[in-house]
Amino acid sequence: MARITAGVATSHVPAIGAAMDLGKTAEPYWQPLFAGYDWSRQWIAQEKPDVVILVYNDHASAFDMKIIPTFAIGCGERYRPADEGWGPRPVPDVIGEPDLAWHIAQSLILDEFDMTIINEMDVDHGLTVPLSLMFGQPDAWPCRVIPVAVNVVTYPPPSGNRCWRLGEAIARAVESFPEDLNVQIWGTGGMSHQLQGPRAGLINAEWDNRFLDLMSQSDDGEALRAIEHIEYLRETGSEGIEMVMWLIMRGALGDKVRPLHRHYHVPASNTAVGHLVLEPTD
């Protein structure tokens, strides 16, 4: 059967993609950030996942105020990089895994999660930057990808508890798929940052690192699942709510995990960057 073998959490700051695309990764400003992914690239080259379930948020590329799905799953065969206003990133098309994606969609809906099914969409930096951080700049991505888009842009976003429960449901879906697949699940976005208003540039390293501690613990995630929207807003800025997407990844790993790698760096374009690699041990 298919199995989830690891979870990855990472920020998806658009400027990170630009730094890679423009060959700036060795510059003093960027080098410490990218150094934190050296271990992860070596690790994933050995792990060779067949499929990555990539949890991210769209930034008005595929969705806008006309339609705002709380949870959407991509069931298509191919996704092109989106033009976010300055042309698409020069990265490969993302190749989907429709058989597993449709299986997950059916399982989640029968598990009482109201998923929006997407067969055609372009994917923006929320999805392509994590792929670049983990795989570099290949001619083709070395695995297939199932996008799971979460609304954390327009209020109300889903609660952390609901995200955790969705992760548990995704794990059940993957485990019931009969094909032998090495599957990873990634939660992206965050960490603390605010892009507008009087608090623009807010970074709360103490709160971020406490969150990383909780993510790395072996328990049922009660403390993480109990964090309310207002705490994310108050402590981590208006965009810090993206961290609820990490909880989908963490919920999918089960109660017991082993942290393999951790990285935290500020700033990256006025944003805190966090990164974890976790392994389920149940």
Side-chain angles (χ1 to χ4, degrees):
M1 64 181 183
R3 64 211 183 278
I4 293 178
T5 59
V8 173
T10 182
S11 302
H12 59 212
V13 184
I16 293 175
M20 298 185 72
D21 299 341
L22 298 174
K24 296 184 177 183
T25 58
E27 293 184 359
Y29 180 87
W30 289 109
Q31 193 278 330
L33 183 148
F34 289 104
Y37 290 85
D38 289 344
W39 183 93
S40 303
R41 290 188 185 181
Q42 296 177 28
W43 166 82
I44 205 165
Q46 296 174 344
E47 293 296 308
K48 295 181 172 62
D50 298 305
V51 182
V52 167
I53 300 169
L54 204 158
V55 183
Y56 77 110
N57 66 286
D58 176 76
H59 302 78
S61 298
F63 313 120
D64 56 23
M65 293 300 291
K66 295 177 183 177
I67 181 168
I68 307 170
T70 299
F71 298 120
I73 182 167
C75 294
E77 296 183 353
R78 180 183 294 265
Y79 310 95
R80 297 179 304 175
D83 184 347
E84 299 182 63
W86 48 86
R89 287 192 64 213
V91 296
D93 286 359
V94 175
I95 305 303
E97 176 50 75
D99 289 347
L100 178 57
W102 276 104
H103 173 83
I104 293 172
Q106 173 179 282
S107 181
L108 293 179
I109 290 169
L110 295 179
D111 215 357
E112 301 186 347
F113 282 88
D114 298 323
M115 305 299 294
T116 299
I117 295 172
I118 306 293
N119 292 311
E120 294 184 9
M121 66 175 174
D122 293 346
V123 291
D124 64 21
H125 72 269
L127 188 138
T128 63
V129 165
L131 290 172
S132 295
L133 282 167
M134 294 298 293
F135 294 124
Q137 295 174 293
D139 293 332
W141 301 120
C143 66
R144 290 157 285 169
V145 176
I146 297 176
V148 175
V150 180
N151 171 43
V152 290
V153 174
T154 303
Y155 196 84
S159 69
N161 184 63
R162 188 64 170 164
C163 288
W164 185 285
R165 296 301 186 200
L166 177 60
E168 292 177 328
I170 289 173
R172 291 191 292 270
V174 170
E175 290 167 4
S176 67
F177 190 68
E179 187 176 345
D180 184 20
L181 293 174
N182 176 0
V183 180
Q184 292 184 2
I185 183 165
W186 299 5
T188 74
M191 296 188 85
S192 61
H193 62 300
Q194 180 153 328
L195 302 181
Q196 69 288 308
R199 297 202 306 166
L202 180 148
I203 291 174
N204 188 340
E206 181 179 358
W207 198 99
D208 288 343
N209 278 285
R210 181 172 67 87
F211 188 86
L212 291 170
D213 291 340
L214 292 172
M215 286 285 295
S216 303
Q217 291 178 2
S218 288
D219 59 26
D220 63 0
E222 182 178 356
L224 286 166
R225 292 185 285 117
I227 300 171
E228 297 181 350
H229 291 160
I230 191 64
E231 181 173 346
Y232 285 106
L233 179 65
R234 181 182 64 244
E235 300 296 334
T236 72
S238 53
E239 280 70 45
I241 189 63
E242 290 179 350
M243 281 181 277
V244 298
M245 295 187 292
W246 292 30
L247 302 189
I248 297 176
M249 176 274 284
R250 182 60 187 82
L253 299 184
D255 290 349
K256 296 181 180 180
V257 296
R258 179 171 61 187
L260 302 181
H261 180 63
R262 175 169 171 166
H263 175 50
Y264 183 77
H265 176 76
V266 293
S269 185
N270 295 323
T271 303
V273 170
H275 174 43
L276 286 173
V277 179
L278 304 174
E279 181 179 70
T281 61
D282 284 344

